[in-house]
Amino acid sequence: MVACVHAVWLVGLLYVTACLFGCGHCKVIGGFVLPHGGIALDPAHFNTSNATARSQAWAVHRAAGNLGRALVGVAPDLVLLSTPHGVADLTKFAFYLNPKGFGWADTDNCLCPPCCYNVSVDMAANQSIALVHFLESLGANVTGTAAYGPPGQEDEPFPLRWGEVIPLHFIRPSQNNIRLIVLSQPTRRYTEDVAMVTEMLKLGADLYHWLDQLEERVAVLISADLAHTHLKTGPYGYSNASGPFDEACGEWAETLEPRPLLVRAAGLVDRALSCGFTGLVMLHGLLEAAGQSVGLTLREAWEPHLLANYHPSYYGMMVAYFTPASKTLS
């Protein structure tokens, strides 16, 4: 019998229905993209007189909240979270190895205190250790990072900040019996993001093969902002690559066609300056491997959904998700 979980909500005037078909054999039950900009967290403090920018900020915030509720609604046991702003190694992808995590974030134009948004999480430390060993056996450039004590044993929580806290704020994992595996992107992403594309695609595929042998249901969550060069007055200035880069990422999220992300966005990212690019490429590799494992193309295996893609401030933010298509059962 085919089981189906419906998450239905209203986004503006658009009804979105996500239906996960027969995920009893499908351990990776969805891929999700959430921003980590403070505007998405709470637009009430967004200091702008531009009505369009304010409207876009609230649209991103509402879409992120809806996505968070949908993710919780499909009842994952584990969330694999990729962060570009974590405790990072120079060259290696780092997995956090403490049993607990805790951190805070603030929002644009209102710092902590008083605007403190805290998150406490349970982390799957032993599974993270096993995943590091698995990836090392395949030659992946990975490591584990334990804070303050032995891996998997320290009572002190691993420190989290905005790259983890803001996406997690929308799913509240500790309140929903969800444990985390956290992957921190290496700092070489700042200068080698295009050179990393092939590596990221393989890492995504390798992650899928490990996750697929688990007993737990797993959601993959990518913490990602898009171009950081939309405004001349922003900290990184303006680049005419910013708009086309965000458009290319949005087209990928709507279609799962590889060219918009792996060719067009890749050709723009070094001028657009996006912290989320490598995570999106990794997710593409993971979703593609999932389809190949059952003899399907990427588009046959997954249904793409783009809920928001705006830049109310100097940086772009996208909210998107990918659910197993009905053909996955055939």
Side-chain angles (χ1 to χ4, degrees):
M1 180 177 181
V2 175
C4 185
V5 179
H6 293 276
V8 183
W9 62 85
L10 184 65
V11 182
L13 298 177
L14 175 64
Y15 283 99
V16 181
T17 303
C19 183
L20 302 189
F21 293 87
C23 282
H25 76 283
C26 181
K27 304 301 173 56
V28 177
I29 58 176
F32 302 81
V33 179
L34 280 171
H36 50 250
I39 294 172
L41 182 59
D42 187 355
H45 301 287
F46 182 28
N47 184 19
T48 182
S49 59
N50 186 311
T52 299
R54 184 169 294 279
S55 174
Q56 291 178 349
W58 280 106
V60 171
H61 174 76
R62 287 191 295 267
N66 290 331
L67 185 65
R69 287 185 287 274
L71 191 157
V72 171
V74 297
D77 303 300
L78 287 174
V79 166
L80 170 66
L81 170 66
S82 167
T83 174
H85 294 299
V87 177
D89 189 84
L90 284 172
T91 60
K92 295 184 178 183
F93 300 88
F95 290 85
Y96 298 172
L97 303 183
N98 289 44
K100 300 282 186 180
F102 173 80
W104 58 274
D106 41 31
T107 184
D108 290 30
N109 307 121
C110 184
L111 302 180
C112 177
C115 295
C116 302
Y117 299 80
N118 299 331
V119 167
S120 296
V121 297
D122 294 318
M123 299 204 291
N126 290 333
Q127 285 171 308
S128 298
I129 294 169
L131 176 53
V132 169
H133 292 323
F134 171 80
L135 292 171
E136 284 179 332
S137 74
L138 299 178
N141 202 4
V142 297
T143 188
T145 300
Y148 317 119
Q153 300 178 41
E154 176 57 46
D155 292 334
E156 189 75 16
F158 197 96
L160 308 176
R161 284 291 274 117
W162 71 95
E164 302 100 348
V165 171
I166 292 178
L168 294 176
H169 173 80
F170 292 104
I171 67 173
R172 303 185 183 278
S174 63
Q175 298 177 22
N176 293 292
N177 298 314
I178 298 171
R179 295 185 302 145
L180 292 196
I181 294 175
V182 181
L183 181 162
S184 177
Q185 300 278 333
T187 59
R188 62 188 167 97
R189 70 165 183 83
Y190 289 100
T191 56
E192 300 177 17
D193 44 9
V194 177
M196 292 168 65
V197 165
T198 300
E199 180 184 15
M200 298 305 305
L201 292 171
K202 184 178 186 304
L203 178 61
D206 291 342
L207 286 168
Y208 170 76
H209 293 303
W210 187 82
L211 295 171
D212 191 53
Q213 52 82 38
L214 298 178
E215 294 298 323
E216 293 91 343
R217 293 158 55 87
V218 184
V220 178
L221 175 58
I222 307 300
S223 173
D225 287 340
L226 301 183
H228 283 54
T229 52
H230 283 282
L231 292 179
K232 184 177 180 180
T233 55
Y236 307 101
Y238 172 76
S239 171
N240 61 7
S242 57
F245 177 86
D246 285 11
E247 291 168 9
C249 291
E251 184 178 338
W252 168 78
E254 284 185 305
T255 66
L256 279 177
E257 289 294 326
R259 184 175 177 81
L261 181 66
L262 304 182
V263 178
R264 285 167 44 204
L268 297 164
V269 66
D270 285 343
R271 290 182 291 132
L273 303 183
S274 168
C275 60
F277 176 72
T278 53
L280 298 180
V281 174
M282 185 184 76
L283 179 61
H284 185 92
L286 186 150
L287 297 176
E288 186 172 51
Q292 290 173 348
S293 72
V294 289
L296 297 176
T297 66
L298 184 64
R299 192 59 182 85
E300 290 172 331
W302 297 95
E303 294 287 349
H305 310 268
L306 176 64
L307 301 186
N309 186 5
Y310 298 111
H311 57 275
S313 182
Y314 68 88
Y315 56 91
M317 294 181 287
M318 182 171 75
V319 179
Y321 71 102
F322 310 92
T323 52
S326 57
K327 280 189 176 182
T328 307
L329 290 180
S330 57

